[in-house]
Amino acid sequence: MKTPRAVRAACALGAACAALCTSAAGGRAQSLLDRPPNLSGGWVGSSGQLYFNFMHRFIASGAPERKVTNVPTFTLAAGLPFRTLVGMEYSTNSNLAPRYPNEWEVFVRHAALQQDRGAPVDLAGQVGYNFAAEGADGEVSLARRQGPLRLIAAGRVLSDPFSAGDRRFALAGGGTLRVSRYFALAGDVATLMEREEGEEVAWSAGVHLAIPGTPHTLSIQASNTAAYTLQGLSRGDKTRRYGFEFTIPLTLNRWFGSSAERAPAPTPPAAAQAAAPADSAAAPTGPVARAGMRNLAFVPGTITIQAGTTVEWTNNDPLSHSVTSDNGSFDSRLIGSGNKWRHTFTTPGTYTYHCTPHPFMKGTVVVR
Ligand SMILES: [Cu+2]
């Protein structure tokens, strides 16, 4: 058996980077509510977070044995600065290459455009190396959220694991429909161009849940794919697999972040508080800028406004957040899921803030 030393090296490197890169980009947990079981849709996490996804599918053989074969798949990834994710996939019971049942892939993914940052679409690219196919694979994906619907399309270039040198191409598409803040329906299909014998259209369907009060999401799913690599996700077979996926974001910023930024701030003079009176639910009289919290991040991370503008934050997450000034000049207290909070900024300056329960969530308001 080949020892995937490069995988371990990449892993260690990723973990080290994640531990070191404690940027102020804020945390963005992977949410299964934003992607179907077999498409990543340009998700890159956030700098300084480590991600562990555990996907477990099983196959039941026919009667009378009804033997259950377990097929666990792991994703370990680290968010880096510049909207980049490095990671690895480890899939057991792969059927890609003979005598290589445990398939490995190391990858780098970059999000060139993000709708959450004002772009019309999410555009991302991924390149990686698959140790079972012994070749490089790539994917470009395009996604757009429109109301409760998020649609994703992807094109892939794959090395051919069976005949040396030939490139293969695959197309994939799918989406999620958010039924509520905690619940989404999802599905996708993928196909290799010019499928060969034994290669079926790959598909998956899932019910996705956000676990209230936590950054975790859970998917209960069915699919006919064997491995969570780009190779595996492009090939279906005749075996239906059932299972679940559980996403575990490990927010390293929480433990490794700069302590200076979290030190208790001096209480501002009473006059500063009086100058910014409109923290109430009363409708503001001046201009209003909208911001929010989504997937454990303030969106947008930095908002620039004219003095006299009211910023209205909407909590789009299934858990409570706060908008708390780093210097103590304003504090929303806990804003429940789906609720809004407003603050009017009357004095020009740069106001940094964080979330009290999730100190790795950071935002800035620039008042001109
Ligand atoms: Cu929070």
Side-chain angles (χ1 to χ4, degrees), residues 75 79 81 93 168 242 265:
T75 303
N93 285 316
R168 303 202 61 188
Y242 301 93

Side-chain angles (χ1 to χ4, degrees), residues 56-69:
H56 194 102
R57 291 177 181 167
F58 65 88
I59 306 160
S61 77
E65 298 90 351
R66 300 190 193 282
K67 174 180 162 50
V68 170
T69 305

Side-chain angles (χ1 to χ4, degrees), residues 110-328:
H110 175 71
L113 295 176
Q114 289 183 314
Q115 215 178 337
D116 277 348
R117 291 168 182 261
V121 291
D122 294 333
L123 173 67
Q126 170 177 335
V127 289
Y129 186 85
N130 187 302
F131 287 82
E134 294 185 335
D137 301 320
E139 180 186 75
V140 172
S141 75
L142 199 63
R144 184 172 162 84
R145 179 184 287 119
Q146 191 81 53
L149 197 64
R150 184 168 188 253
L151 295 176
I152 305 172
R156 297 176 188 145
V157 183
L158 305 171
S159 54
D160 187 342
F162 301 113
S163 50
D166 287 350
R167 293 234 169 281
R168 303 202 61 188
F169 297 91
L171 292 174
T176 58
L177 175 67
R178 277 204 193 215
V179 179
S180 79
R181 196 171 300 280
Y182 300 102
F183 182 70
L185 300 173
D188 55 62
V189 292
T191 181
L192 287 157
M193 313 303 284
E194 298 166 20
R195 288 195 307 277
E196 289 165 9
E197 198 178 339
E199 294 176 340
E200 306 280 323
V201 171
W203 59 267
S204 80
V207 171
H208 295 187
L209 308 162
I211 301 171
T214 78
H216 305 294
T217 53
L218 178 70
S219 163
I220 297 170
Q221 52 191 239
S223 179
N224 69 338
T225 60
Y228 200 85
T229 58
L230 289 185
Q231 292 275 353
L233 295 174
S234 303
R235 280 178 180 75
D237 60 22
K238 289 203 157 62
T239 306
R240 192 172 300 174
R241 298 161 179 84
Y242 301 93
F244 66 84
E245 179 172 355
F246 188 54
T247 67
I248 306 169
L250 301 166
T251 51
L252 298 175
N253 285 354
R254 194 178 291 184
W255 299 298
F256 295 100
S258 158
S259 57
E261 291 181 49
R262 264 185 268 141
T267 308
Q273 303 250 24
D279 286 355
S280 68
T285 49
V288 177
R290 298 194 200 287
M293 298 78 122
R294 185 187 290 279
N295 298 338
L296 287 168
F298 291 110
V299 181
T302 298
I303 185 165
T304 303
I305 56 169
Q306 296 297 321
T309 303
T310 299
V311 179
E312 179 180 273
W313 282 270
T314 303
N315 180 1
N316 296 299
D317 270 345
L319 60 170
S320 295
H321 296 299
S322 78
V323 175
T324 305
S325 162
D326 290 351
N327 70 4

